[in-house]
Amino acid sequence: MPCFRPALWLLLLACLLAPAVALGADNAEAVYNKGDYASAFKELKPLADAGDASAQYHLGLLYDFGLSVPKNPAEAAKWFRLAGRQDNAKALYNLGLLLTASPKLAASPGEAEASFRRSAELGEMPAQFALAELIAKGGSAKDGPAQAEHWYRKAAEQGDHKSQYRLGMMLLSGKATPANIQDASKWLQMAAEAGSASAQFQVGVLYDKGMGVHASPQEAARWFAKAAEQGDADAQFNLAVEYDRGEGVPHDPAQAAMWLEKSAAQGDVPAQLALARWYLSGHGVSQSAAKAADWYGRAARKDNPEAQNELAGLCAKGLGVRQDQAEAARWLSRAAELGDASAQNDLGIRYFEGQGLRKNPMAGYMWLTLASWQGHAGAKSNLEYAAAKLTDKQKAQADKAAKAWKMKR
């Protein structure tokens, strides 16, 4: 009768059991992929307890997303860590995501970054992008822009269009390495072809300016149109400009207005300003002071000084809105506080005249002084007129107030 030595017997037993364990893991993953999470849990748990990395990863997913079990981030992190110790790249990536969302679960301050880094080193594309994003946003204790560019490139080479776009923009800016417009153009084109609206807009800019490609108004308009149709507000604005000028597309003010309105509706301030001007003049749209005031108002509430100035003018004249000198003064005050010289000049005059606010010659002198310091031509002559109405002491106090205001800026 044959006799096996203990070590040889154990080796033979391991060889016989290994295919069964692998078969069990494959079957459990198949059940998971079908969406039968309750059955998957029953099959995955013993395998995970036995040390199977893939089972541990999938068990972590069940706890992470609350699939057939109560959502439990701490339990998910535990299983992702166990799988990660066996270099399961997906588990490491998911652990990084989990710890980024719930930093208190981290075993150490840098665990999320370390998890992303190891997963990225193992070739996991989403982890490469996540690590690049973390570094680019200043979240890494040791790496800078050059390493962000490195990991964006790694993910870009695997076809990730978000990384292709980010890499292209970094190469354009020269933040990490000297600017390389040709290389930037290549990656941005790849991302654009993959459907990235941001990249499509940027490629349009490249063709518009002839950067890294031969300048072509037609190509610029084509890429702006692709991004605009996906809802990119910047592209919608630029496409409106192309239609208004007839560059790369037929001259069509109505089409220009349509795209301008789409961009403005998304909150693009330059589009809101342009649309307001068009409604005032009737360019490409039916003239409407009320709609002009509405669009100026939207931009003004975003602290755009030009819009605040224009809205103040409409309020003062009662164009498109109820005439209200106090409201006009309020908008001028906001623009003046933002440093707009024209608003400072107009506000200074209002303080001298007591128009829409309480008369205060010293405050008026202060605002006229600030406007004149910025080279506003009207303010200089207005200041001379105002100086004659104040005592030397009052002028000195107003000058002091102007200097104090400027210091705060």
Side-chain angles (χ1 to χ4, degrees):
M1 180 176 179
C3 180
F4 293 101
R5 285 177 291 178
L8 185 59
W9 170 248
L10 289 172
L11 179 61
L12 179 59
L13 183 62
C15 291
L16 289 170
L17 288 177
V21 171
L23 184 61
D26 289 343
N27 184 61
E29 288 172 30
V31 173
Y32 176 94
N33 291 331
K34 287 179 181 177
D36 185 357
Y37 301 120
S39 298
F41 179 82
K42 291 176 182 177
E43 296 200 31
L44 287 168
K45 185 62 166 64
L47 292 167
D49 287 334
D52 184 87
S54 181
Q56 291 168 340
Y57 160 62
H58 284 88
L59 193 59
L61 291 176
L62 292 179
Y63 280 112
D64 195 10
F65 295 103
L67 304 173
S68 84
V69 293
K71 188 178 174 72
N72 190 330
E75 193 69 9
K78 181 188 88 171
W79 290 110
F80 287 149
R81 280 194 188 95
L82 289 169
R85 287 170 192 162
Q86 299 186 62
D87 274 350
N88 184 292
K90 293 186 184 301
L92 287 162
Y93 167 64
N94 278 272
L95 178 60
L97 290 179
L98 186 58
L99 299 181
T100 300
S102 304
K104 290 182 179 179
L105 293 175
S108 62
E111 189 182 9
E113 180 183 352
S115 299
F116 282 141
R117 188 178 301 280
R118 183 55 187 152
S119 181
E121 290 167 350
L122 290 166
E124 185 71 6
M125 182 184 70
Q128 292 168 344
F129 175 75
L131 180 59
E133 288 279 276
L134 185 147
I135 296 169
K137 293 174 182 176
S140 172
K142 61 179 182 178
D143 288 339
Q147 276 299 303
E149 184 180 305
H150 167 79
W151 289 112
Y152 279 136
R153 189 178 292 276
K154 286 287 187 183
E157 287 168 350
Q158 291 200 62
D160 182 59
H161 68 79
K162 296 192 298 295
S163 296
Q164 291 166 347
Y165 170 70
R166 294 280 202 281
L167 176 59
M169 295 305 291
M170 285 196 81
L171 292 168
L172 268 185
S173 69
K175 285 182 180 177
T177 53
N180 187 331
I181 295 175
Q182 296 294 334
D183 201 18
S185 175
K186 178 190 80 171
W187 288 111
L188 288 169
Q189 291 260 14
M190 289 174 70
E193 293 286 358
S196 165
S198 297
Q200 290 168 345
F201 165 71
Q202 197 59 50
V203 169
V205 172
L206 295 181
Y207 275 109
D208 187 46
K209 297 182 177 179
M211 296 172 61
V213 292
H214 292 296
S216 170
Q218 291 76 20
E219 279 297 290
R222 184 172 77 87
W223 284 110
F224 287 148
K226 283 180 177 290
E229 286 161 3
Q230 291 199 68
D232 186 278
D234 291 328
Q236 290 168 343
F237 176 78
N238 280 29
L239 187 59
V241 172
E242 301 285 83
Y243 272 113
D244 189 44
R245 295 176 179 172
E247 294 181 357
V249 289
H251 174 64
D252 190 335
Q255 273 288 310
M258 184 268 286
W259 285 113
L260 201 59
E261 191 131 14
K262 285 180 179 290
S263 179
Q266 293 197 70
D268 186 79
V269 172
Q272 291 172 339
L273 288 170
L275 195 57
R277 289 192 290 268
W278 286 19
Y279 272 115
L280 269 184
S281 66
H283 178 75
V285 293
S286 298
Q287 192 172 19
S288 170
K291 288 186 177 180
D294 175 53
W295 287 112
Y296 275 136
R298 297 192 199 197
R301 286 187 287 275
K302 291 186 174 182
D303 280 339
N304 180 272
E306 181 184 345
Q308 291 167 342
N309 262 318
E310 295 294 338
L311 186 57
L314 295 180
C315 290
K317 296 171 185 174
L319 283 175
V321 291
R322 180 175 61 85
Q323 189 172 29
D324 187 337
Q325 299 301 336
E327 186 71 356
R330 187 174 75 85
W331 285 114
L332 284 174
S333 295
R334 286 181 63 168
E337 288 289 354
L338 289 169
D340 185 83
S342 179
Q344 290 170 343
N345 174 68
D346 293 350
L347 186 61
I349 294 170
R350 281 179 172 270
Y351 269 117
F352 265 96
E353 297 177 349
Q355 192 177 22
L357 36 68
R358 182 174 295 181
K359 194 172 184 178
N360 187 336
M362 286 179 63
Y365 193 87
M366 182 198 82
W367 286 114
L368 289 171
T369 299
L370 288 166
S372 70
W373 286 348
Q374 293 196 67
H376 190 281
K380 291 180 180 179
S381 59
N382 288 331
L383 196 59
E384 291 175 7
Y385 167 79
K389 297 183 176 294
L390 296 179
T391 65
D392 289 343
K393 183 178 179 181
Q394 287 174 322
K395 284 186 286 186
Q397 288 176 334
D399 277 333
K400 184 178 180 180
K403 288 174 183 174
W405 184 92
K406 195 171 182 181
M407 285 291 290
K408 289 179 182 178
R409 302 289 295 174

mmCIF file of all heavy atoms in Angstrom, residues 372-400:
data_model
loop_
_atom_site.group_PDB
_atom_site.id
_atom_site.type_symbol
_atom_site.label_atom_id
_atom_site.label_comp_id
_atom_site.label_asym_id
_atom_site.label_seq_id
_atom_site.Cartn_x
_atom_site.Cartn_y
_atom_site.Cartn_z
ATOM 1 N N SER A 372 -10.669 108.730 -10.246
ATOM 2 C CA SER A 372 -9.604 109.509 -10.910
ATOM 3 C C SER A 372 -8.266 108.798 -10.818
ATOM 4 O O SER A 372 -7.450 108.865 -11.730
ATOM 5 C CB SER A 372 -9.504 110.907 -10.288
ATOM 6 O OG SER A 372 -8.981 110.833 -8.966
ATOM 7 N N TRP A 373 -8.032 108.092 -9.693
ATOM 8 C CA TRP A 373 -6.785 107.332 -9.550
ATOM 9 C C TRP A 373 -6.680 106.227 -10.598
ATOM 10 O O TRP A 373 -5.591 105.772 -10.922
ATOM 11 C CB TRP A 373 -6.702 106.723 -8.155
ATOM 12 C CG TRP A 373 -6.383 107.730 -7.079
ATOM 13 C CD1 TRP A 373 -5.956 109.010 -7.244
ATOM 14 C CD2 TRP A 373 -6.473 107.521 -5.667
ATOM 15 N NE1 TRP A 373 -5.778 109.635 -6.039
ATOM 16 C CE2 TRP A 373 -6.086 108.740 -5.037
ATOM 17 C CE3 TRP A 373 -6.857 106.465 -4.870
ATOM 18 C CZ2 TRP A 373 -6.052 108.887 -3.651
ATOM 19 C CZ3 TRP A 373 -6.830 106.608 -3.479
ATOM 20 C CH2 TRP A 373 -6.438 107.811 -2.879
ATOM 21 N N GLN A 374 -7.807 105.785 -11.094
ATOM 22 C CA GLN A 374 -7.800 104.749 -12.141
ATOM 23 C C GLN A 374 -7.739 105.352 -13.548
ATOM 24 O O GLN A 374 -7.796 104.638 -14.538
ATOM 25 C CB GLN A 374 -9.054 103.878 -12.023
ATOM 26 C CG GLN A 374 -9.101 103.029 -10.765
ATOM 27 C CD GLN A 374 -10.124 101.924 -10.872
ATOM 28 O OE1 GLN A 374 -9.964 100.989 -11.676
ATOM 29 N NE2 GLN A 374 -11.179 101.999 -10.095
ATOM 30 N N GLY A 375 -7.647 106.663 -13.606
ATOM 31 C CA GLY A 375 -7.511 107.314 -14.900
ATOM 32 C C GLY A 375 -8.815 107.633 -15.597
ATOM 33 O O GLY A 375 -8.816 107.923 -16.796
ATOM 34 N N HIS A 376 -9.931 107.602 -14.867
ATOM 35 C CA HIS A 376 -11.222 107.929 -15.471
ATOM 36 C C HIS A 376 -11.259 109.426 -15.805
ATOM 37 O O HIS A 376 -11.164 110.283 -14.921
ATOM 38 C CB HIS A 376 -12.354 107.575 -14.502
ATOM 39 C CG HIS A 376 -13.713 107.642 -15.115
ATOM 40 N ND1 HIS A 376 -14.386 108.838 -15.304
ATOM 41 C CD2 HIS A 376 -14.539 106.675 -15.588
ATOM 42 C CE1 HIS A 376 -15.561 108.601 -15.851
ATOM 43 N NE2 HIS A 376 -15.676 107.284 -16.035
ATOM 44 N N ALA A 377 -11.377 109.736 -17.092
ATOM 45 C CA ALA A 377 -11.286 111.126 -17.552
ATOM 46 C C ALA A 377 -12.362 112.007 -16.942
ATOM 47 O O ALA A 377 -12.084 113.132 -16.482
ATOM 48 C CB ALA A 377 -11.371 111.167 -19.078
ATOM 49 N N GLY A 378 -13.589 111.529 -16.923
ATOM 50 C CA GLY A 378 -14.686 112.321 -16.368
ATOM 51 C C GLY A 378 -14.512 112.586 -14.897
ATOM 52 O O GLY A 378 -14.866 113.659 -14.393
ATOM 53 N N ALA A 379 -13.958 111.637 -14.172
ATOM 54 C CA ALA A 379 -13.790 111.776 -12.729
ATOM 55 C C ALA A 379 -12.824 112.907 -12.401
ATOM 56 O O ALA A 379 -13.007 113.624 -11.399
ATOM 57 C CB ALA A 379 -13.296 110.470 -12.124
ATOM 58 N N LYS A 380 -11.807 113.076 -13.220
ATOM 59 C CA LYS A 380 -10.818 114.123 -12.946
ATOM 60 C C LYS A 380 -11.457 115.505 -13.003
ATOM 61 O O LYS A 380 -11.220 116.356 -12.136
ATOM 62 C CB LYS A 380 -9.660 114.021 -13.927
ATOM 63 C CG LYS A 380 -8.805 112.771 -13.699
ATOM 64 C CD LYS A 380 -7.657 112.684 -14.683
ATOM 65 C CE LYS A 380 -6.832 111.425 -14.417
ATOM 66 N NZ LYS A 380 -5.713 111.299 -15.388
ATOM 67 N N SER A 381 -12.259 115.746 -14.030
ATOM 68 C CA SER A 381 -12.926 117.051 -14.133
ATOM 69 C C SER A 381 -14.004 117.192 -13.060
ATOM 70 O O SER A 381 -14.198 118.269 -12.482
ATOM 71 C CB SER A 381 -13.527 117.231 -15.528
ATOM 72 O OG SER A 381 -14.463 116.194 -15.802
ATOM 73 N N ASN A 382 -14.721 116.094 -12.745
ATOM 74 C CA ASN A 382 -15.738 116.142 -11.691
ATOM 75 C C ASN A 382 -15.107 116.409 -10.329
ATOM 76 O O ASN A 382 -15.698 117.075 -9.476
ATOM 77 C CB ASN A 382 -16.518 114.821 -11.645
ATOM 78 C CG ASN A 382 -17.445 114.656 -12.832
ATOM 79 O OD1 ASN A 382 -17.931 115.642 -13.381
ATOM 80 N ND2 ASN A 382 -17.682 113.420 -13.230
ATOM 81 N N LEU A 383 -13.890 115.903 -10.142
ATOM 82 C CA LEU A 383 -13.193 116.087 -8.868
ATOM 83 C C LEU A 383 -12.825 117.560 -8.662
ATOM 84 O O LEU A 383 -12.902 118.082 -7.536
ATOM 85 C CB LEU A 383 -11.945 115.209 -8.836
ATOM 86 C CG LEU A 383 -11.285 114.964 -7.477
ATOM 87 C CD1 LEU A 383 -12.259 114.306 -6.508
ATOM 88 C CD2 LEU A 383 -10.052 114.088 -7.651
ATOM 89 N N GLU A 384 -12.435 118.197 -9.741
ATOM 90 C CA GLU A 384 -12.106 119.627 -9.652
ATOM 91 C C GLU A 384 -13.340 120.436 -9.245
ATOM 92 O O GLU A 384 -13.254 121.349 -8.413
ATOM 93 C CB GLU A 384 -11.572 120.120 -10.998
ATOM 94 C CG GLU A 384 -10.206 119.552 -11.363
ATOM 95 C CD GLU A 384 -9.762 119.957 -12.757
ATOM 96 O OE1 GLU A 384 -10.464 120.797 -13.387
ATOM 97 O OE2 GLU A 384 -8.727 119.449 -13.219
ATOM 98 N N TYR A 385 -14.482 120.086 -9.816
ATOM 99 C CA TYR A 385 -15.738 120.758 -9.476
ATOM 100 C C TYR A 385 -16.100 120.489 -8.014
ATOM 101 O O TYR A 385 -16.503 121.393 -7.278
ATOM 102 C CB TYR A 385 -16.844 120.248 -10.407
ATOM 103 C CG TYR A 385 -18.237 120.627 -9.981
ATOM 104 C CD1 TYR A 385 -18.745 121.900 -10.231
ATOM 105 C CD2 TYR A 385 -19.050 119.703 -9.309
ATOM 106 C CE1 TYR A 385 -20.034 122.250 -9.827
ATOM 107 C CE2 TYR A 385 -20.331 120.044 -8.901
ATOM 108 C CZ TYR A 385 -20.817 121.322 -9.167
ATOM 109 O OH TYR A 385 -22.084 121.659 -8.763
ATOM 110 N N ALA A 386 -15.912 119.210 -7.592
ATOM 111 C CA ALA A 386 -16.276 118.830 -6.225
ATOM 112 C C ALA A 386 -15.360 119.482 -5.201
ATOM 113 O O ALA A 386 -15.797 119.841 -4.092
ATOM 114 C CB ALA A 386 -16.223 117.312 -6.086
ATOM 115 N N ALA A 387 -14.092 119.658 -5.550
ATOM 116 C CA ALA A 387 -13.113 120.210 -4.610
ATOM 117 C C ALA A 387 -13.498 121.615 -4.159
ATOM 118 O O ALA A 387 -13.226 122.011 -3.009
ATOM 119 C CB ALA A 387 -11.737 120.213 -5.243
ATOM 120 N N ALA A 388 -14.134 122.337 -5.057
ATOM 121 C CA ALA A 388 -14.514 123.715 -4.736
ATOM 122 C C ALA A 388 -15.625 123.767 -3.698
ATOM 123 O O ALA A 388 -15.862 124.827 -3.087
ATOM 124 C CB ALA A 388 -14.951 124.445 -6.007
ATOM 125 N N LYS A 389 -16.312 122.658 -3.483
ATOM 126 C CA LYS A 389 -17.449 122.628 -2.563
ATOM 127 C C LYS A 389 -17.096 122.075 -1.182
ATOM 128 O O LYS A 389 -17.944 121.975 -0.307
ATOM 129 C CB LYS A 389 -18.584 121.807 -3.178
ATOM 130 C CG LYS A 389 -19.143 122.418 -4.470
ATOM 131 C CD LYS A 389 -20.307 121.612 -4.985
ATOM 132 C CE LYS A 389 -20.920 122.275 -6.213
ATOM 133 N NZ LYS A 389 -21.547 123.581 -5.937
ATOM 134 N N LEU A 390 -15.821 121.682 -0.997
ATOM 135 C CA LEU A 390 -15.397 121.119 0.292
ATOM 136 C C LEU A 390 -14.293 121.964 0.917
ATOM 137 O O LEU A 390 -13.505 122.614 0.212
ATOM 138 C CB LEU A 390 -14.894 119.688 0.111
ATOM 139 C CG LEU A 390 -15.890 118.626 -0.366
ATOM 140 C CD1 LEU A 390 -15.173 117.288 -0.508
ATOM 141 C CD2 LEU A 390 -17.056 118.494 0.586
ATOM 142 N N THR A 391 -14.196 121.913 2.208
ATOM 143 C CA THR A 391 -13.099 122.582 2.906
ATOM 144 C C THR A 391 -11.850 121.720 2.772
ATOM 145 O O THR A 391 -11.929 120.522 2.431
ATOM 146 C CB THR A 391 -13.425 122.763 4.400
ATOM 147 O OG1 THR A 391 -13.520 121.462 5.004
ATOM 148 C CG2 THR A 391 -14.738 123.522 4.576
ATOM 149 N N ASP A 392 -10.719 122.293 3.059
ATOM 150 C CA ASP A 392 -9.465 121.532 2.997
ATOM 151 C C ASP A 392 -9.508 120.343 3.958
ATOM 152 O O ASP A 392 -9.009 119.257 3.650
ATOM 153 C CB ASP A 392 -8.279 122.433 3.345
ATOM 154 C CG ASP A 392 -7.979 123.444 2.245
ATOM 155 O OD1 ASP A 392 -8.465 123.238 1.105
ATOM 156 O OD2 ASP A 392 -7.272 124.425 2.523
ATOM 157 N N LYS A 393 -10.110 120.550 5.135
ATOM 158 C CA LYS A 393 -10.200 119.476 6.126
ATOM 159 C C LYS A 393 -11.069 118.335 5.593
ATOM 160 O O LYS A 393 -10.724 117.149 5.738
ATOM 161 C CB LYS A 393 -10.787 120.017 7.425
ATOM 162 C CG LYS A 393 -10.849 118.980 8.538
ATOM 163 C CD LYS A 393 -11.398 119.587 9.824
ATOM 164 C CE LYS A 393 -11.474 118.533 10.933
ATOM 165 N NZ LYS A 393 -12.022 119.106 12.185
ATOM 166 N N GLN A 394 -12.188 118.677 4.980
ATOM 167 C CA GLN A 394 -13.085 117.658 4.424
ATOM 168 C C GLN A 394 -12.396 116.877 3.301
ATOM 169 O O GLN A 394 -12.544 115.657 3.204
ATOM 170 C CB GLN A 394 -14.367 118.314 3.914
ATOM 171 C CG GLN A 394 -15.306 118.787 5.003
ATOM 172 C CD GLN A 394 -16.486 119.549 4.458
ATOM 173 O OE1 GLN A 394 -16.350 120.324 3.493
ATOM 174 N NE2 GLN A 394 -17.661 119.354 5.064
ATOM 175 N N LYS A 395 -11.684 117.594 2.457
ATOM 176 C CA LYS A 395 -10.960 116.927 1.355
ATOM 177 C C LYS A 395 -9.893 115.984 1.905
ATOM 178 O O LYS A 395 -9.703 114.883 1.394
ATOM 179 C CB LYS A 395 -10.328 117.971 0.429
ATOM 180 C CG LYS A 395 -11.327 118.657 -0.492
ATOM 181 C CD LYS A 395 -10.664 119.586 -1.487
ATOM 182 C CE LYS A 395 -10.194 120.865 -0.807
ATOM 183 N NZ LYS A 395 -9.685 121.843 -1.780
ATOM 184 N N ALA A 396 -9.197 116.419 2.958
ATOM 185 C CA ALA A 396 -8.170 115.561 3.572
ATOM 186 C C ALA A 396 -8.797 114.300 4.143
ATOM 187 O O ALA A 396 -8.248 113.190 4.007
ATOM 188 C CB ALA A 396 -7.432 116.335 4.662
ATOM 189 N N GLN A 397 -9.952 114.438 4.798
ATOM 190 C CA GLN A 397 -10.640 113.271 5.364
ATOM 191 C C GLN A 397 -11.119 112.331 4.261
ATOM 192 O O GLN A 397 -11.042 111.108 4.395
ATOM 193 C CB GLN A 397 -11.819 113.741 6.215
ATOM 194 C CG GLN A 397 -11.403 114.388 7.531
ATOM 195 C CD GLN A 397 -12.586 114.931 8.310
ATOM 196 O OE1 GLN A 397 -13.622 115.273 7.733
ATOM 197 N NE2 GLN A 397 -12.450 115.017 9.629
ATOM 198 N N ALA A 398 -11.622 112.899 3.154
ATOM 199 C CA ALA A 398 -12.094 112.077 2.035
ATOM 200 C C ALA A 398 -10.931 111.354 1.370
ATOM 201 O O ALA A 398 -11.046 110.180 0.981
ATOM 202 C CB ALA A 398 -12.827 112.949 1.028
ATOM 203 N N ASP A 399 -9.784 112.058 1.246
ATOM 204 C CA ASP A 399 -8.581 111.418 0.684
ATOM 205 C C ASP A 399 -8.131 110.255 1.565
ATOM 206 O O ASP A 399 -7.742 109.188 1.071
ATOM 207 C CB ASP A 399 -7.442 112.433 0.574
ATOM 208 C CG ASP A 399 -7.528 113.270 -0.691
ATOM 209 O OD1 ASP A 399 -8.095 112.777 -1.693
ATOM 210 O OD2 ASP A 399 -7.044 114.412 -0.682
ATOM 211 N N LYS A 400 -8.184 110.467 2.878
ATOM 212 C CA LYS A 400 -7.793 109.414 3.818
ATOM 213 C C LYS A 400 -8.713 108.200 3.681
ATOM 214 O O LYS A 400 -8.261 107.047 3.703
ATOM 215 C CB LYS A 400 -7.842 109.971 5.244
ATOM 216 C CG LYS A 400 -7.350 108.986 6.298
ATOM 217 C CD LYS A 400 -7.379 109.617 7.683
ATOM 218 C CE LYS A 400 -6.897 108.644 8.744
ATOM 219 N NZ LYS A 400 -6.933 109.260 10.116
#
